[in-house]
């Protein structure tokens, strides 16, 4: 199947995904280290939601105010374009990791340098999210607990998952996904009686410039899905992996748009902007008959699930990349020392909350553009010029 030059093939891929889902096909695991298309779809969905479910409502509302929901809806189209880019690149080299075909496309030394750049991006992303977990727990749930303890405890689980291999943590994601769905839609259902339509008015009162600004921050999280290219070769059939990629990103966009819209409708734009974790505040406001209240800690399980999956994939991608560039036979021997380094990096990258907010709102998007857009386009363009046959 060729997906080189025309967007037509993308819609053909979409139609195949719809047909596949209707048929309810379910691929079986093959050799050790491989995952099914269904598991890959779940990993993509949970990865795309990740830490964005904590920050997207506030970040988009900071720029777009009550029009943040429009900024999120605009991200659907950009999500499709990014998915098309990543699927095109992955299907051109279906059985190779991004580290391998970077050298094949750009040559040994330049390709290895690009691979190292990707590794640093994956590692920094994982470190930031690890710190987000520590900050969230120590500020919202366990204020008296040293943040270092939270980081170590959570990282132990991550290391165990990565050392068990992609097949194991993919199965864990598959097992946790129903719980995520249940808790997420319980949150939406229980908070929906407090929705106030007037909170989104007036619509586009200040023009589209603020809306585009909010969308710019929203897309910064979508660009991180480039990391999932590392998981693509693990799926048995490339076409199945492409369908899973599409459906996973679609579901992630749906959840992020929904939580952003609900935050604006319930809390209002002014309150959403001021909150560090708007979605957590939504859970705090749940009150059903003065009986069902204060269930926000249970709802925090949602974010623990998505962050576990996202950090695990980033950590796995980093370990595999380092092992490949260093010529090691097994990435597992790197997981423990890499975890020790990650804790130090996590503490160093987020010295305080103000620094982190500035970094995420002003630096993270252009930084992610390099790895989520520019480098994949470079690899795809140079690969096309070299006229490598497409699978």
């Amino acid at each position: 199947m060729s997906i080189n030059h025309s967007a037509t093939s993308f819609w053909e891929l979409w139609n195949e995904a719809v047909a596949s889902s209707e048929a309810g096909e379910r691929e079986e695991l093959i050799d050790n280290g491989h995952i099914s298309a269904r598991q890959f779809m779940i990993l993509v969905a949970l990865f795309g939601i990740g830490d964005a479910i904590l920050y997207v409502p506030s970040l988009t509302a900071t720029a777009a105010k009550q029009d943040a929901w429009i900024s999120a809806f605009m991200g659907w189209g950009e999500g499709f374009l990014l998915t098309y880019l990543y699927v095109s690149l992955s299907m051109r080299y279906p059985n190779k990791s991004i580290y391998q075909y970077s050298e094949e496309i750009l040559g040994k030394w330049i390709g290895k340098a690009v691979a190292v750049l990707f590794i640093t991006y994956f590692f920094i992303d994982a470190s930031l999210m690890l710190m987000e977990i520590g900050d969230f727990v120590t500020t919202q749930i366990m204020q008296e607990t040293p943040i270092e303890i939270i980081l170590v405890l959570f990282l132990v689980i991550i290391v165990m998952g990565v050392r068990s291999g992609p097949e194991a943590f993919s199965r864990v994601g598959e097992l946790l996904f129903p719980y995520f769905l249940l808790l997420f839609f319980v949150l939406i259902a229980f908070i929906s009686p407090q929705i106030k339509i007037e909170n989104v008015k007036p619509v586009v009162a200040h023009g589209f410039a603020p809306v585009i600004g909010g969308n710019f921050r929203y897309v910064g999280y979508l660009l991180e899905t480039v990391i999932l290219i590392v998981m693509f070769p693990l799926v048995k059939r490339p076409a199945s992996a492409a369908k899973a990629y599409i459906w996973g990103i679609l579901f992630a966009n749906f959840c992020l748009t929904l939580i952003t819209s609900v935050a604006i409708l319930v809390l209002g734009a002014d309150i959403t902007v001021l909150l560090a974790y708007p979605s957590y505040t939504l859970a705090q406001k749940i009150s059903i008959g003065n009986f069902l209240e204060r269930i926000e800690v249970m709802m925090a399980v949602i974010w623990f699930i998505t962050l576990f999956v996202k950090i695990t994939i980033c950590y796995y991608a980093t370990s595999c990349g380092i092992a490949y560039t260093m010529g090691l036979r097994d990435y597992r021997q790197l997981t423990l020392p890499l975890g020790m380094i990650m804790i130090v990096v996590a503490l160093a990258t987020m010295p305080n909350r103000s620094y982190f907010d500035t970094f995420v709102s002003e630096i993270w998007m252009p930084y992610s553009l390099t790895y989520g857009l520019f480098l994949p386009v470079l690899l795809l363009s140079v690969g096309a010029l070299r006229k490598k046959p497409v699978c």
Side-chain angles (χ1 to χ4, degrees), residues 60 63-71 74 200 202-215:
T60 53
K65 304 300 181 183
Q66 69 271 15
D67 297 319
W69 63 276
I70 302 177
S71 301
M74 291 172 59
V200 297
V203 178
V204 198
H206 304 287
F208 272 97
V211 176
I212 294 174
N215 173 256

Side-chain angles (χ1 to χ4, degrees), residues 204-226:
V204 198
H206 304 287
F208 272 97
V211 176
I212 294 174
N215 173 256
F216 187 75
R217 299 181 179 190
Y218 180 90
V219 174
Y221 284 95
L222 296 180
L223 290 168
E224 295 178 39
T225 57
V226 67

Side-chain angles (χ1 to χ4, degrees), residues 38 42 172-184 305:
R38 180 175 182 271
I42 291 173
V172 171
E174 190 176 20
L175 290 172
L176 294 176
F177 190 61
Y179 297 101
F180 167 82
L181 291 177
L182 174 64
L183 292 173
F184 181 78
I305 291 173

Side-chain angles (χ1 to χ4, degrees), residues 242-260:
K243 300 170 192 174
Y245 216 137
I246 293 170
W247 282 106
I249 293 297
L250 181 65
F251 181 79
N253 271 300
F254 169 76
C255 290
L256 294 179
T257 302
L258 183 59
I259 196 67
T260 301

Side-chain angles (χ1 to χ4, degrees), residues 68-264:
W69 63 276
I70 302 177
S71 301
F73 268 114
M74 291 172 59
W76 288 53
E78 292 149 340
F80 277 122
L81 293 176
L82 290 173
T83 302
Y84 175 63
L85 172 62
Y86 302 152
V87 167
S88 300
L89 183 60
S90 299
M91 293 193 69
R92 177 174 283 273
Y93 308 90
N95 299 316
K96 297 181 179 180
S97 71
I98 190 170
Y99 311 116
Q100 293 173 311
Y101 59 71
S102 292
E103 291 189 27
E104 184 174 336
I105 294 173
L106 301 175
K108 181 178 180 180
W109 297 110
I110 298 180
K112 194 173 289 292
V114 169
V116 171
L117 288 175
F118 273 114
I119 292 169
T120 60
Y121 177 65
F122 301 161
F123 183 71
I124 291 174
D125 198 9
S127 301
L128 285 173
M129 287 185 290
L130 182 64
M131 193 61 189
E132 289 169 5
I133 279 285
D135 180 72
F136 173 74
V137 173
T138 54
T139 58
Q140 303 294 324
I141 303 176
M142 303 169 67
Q143 290 88 351
E144 302 298 326
T145 304
I147 192 170
E148 292 82 2
I149 301 299
I150 303 299
L151 298 184
V152 170
L153 290 177
F154 202 82
L155 187 63
V156 167
I157 306 299
I158 300 297
V159 171
M160 290 173 59
V162 173
R163 289 181 68 88
S164 299
E167 180 180 340
F169 66 72
S170 296
R171 287 176 180 265
V172 171
E174 190 176 20
L175 290 172
L176 294 176
F177 190 61
Y179 297 101
F180 167 82
L181 291 177
L182 174 64
L183 292 173
F184 181 78
F185 287 108
V186 163
L187 168 63
I188 300 300
F190 283 2
I191 199 64
S192 58
Q194 301 184 40
I195 286 178
K196 299 176 182 178
I197 300 299
E198 56 268 24
N199 284 337
V200 297
K201 297 178 181 179
V203 178
V204 198
H206 304 287
F208 272 97
V211 176
I212 294 174
N215 173 256
F216 187 75
R217 299 181 179 190
Y218 180 90
V219 174
Y221 284 95
L222 296 180
L223 290 168
E224 295 178 39
T225 57
V226 67
I227 301 173
L228 293 163
I229 290 180
V230 177
M231 304 293 295
F232 198 95
L234 301 179
V235 184
K236 181 178 179 181
R237 292 182 296 170
S240 298
K243 300 170 192 174
Y245 216 137
I246 293 170
W247 282 106
I249 293 297
L250 181 65
F251 181 79
N253 271 300
F254 169 76
C255 290
L256 294 179
T257 302
L258 183 59
I259 196 67
T260 301
S261 302
V262 171
I264 297 298

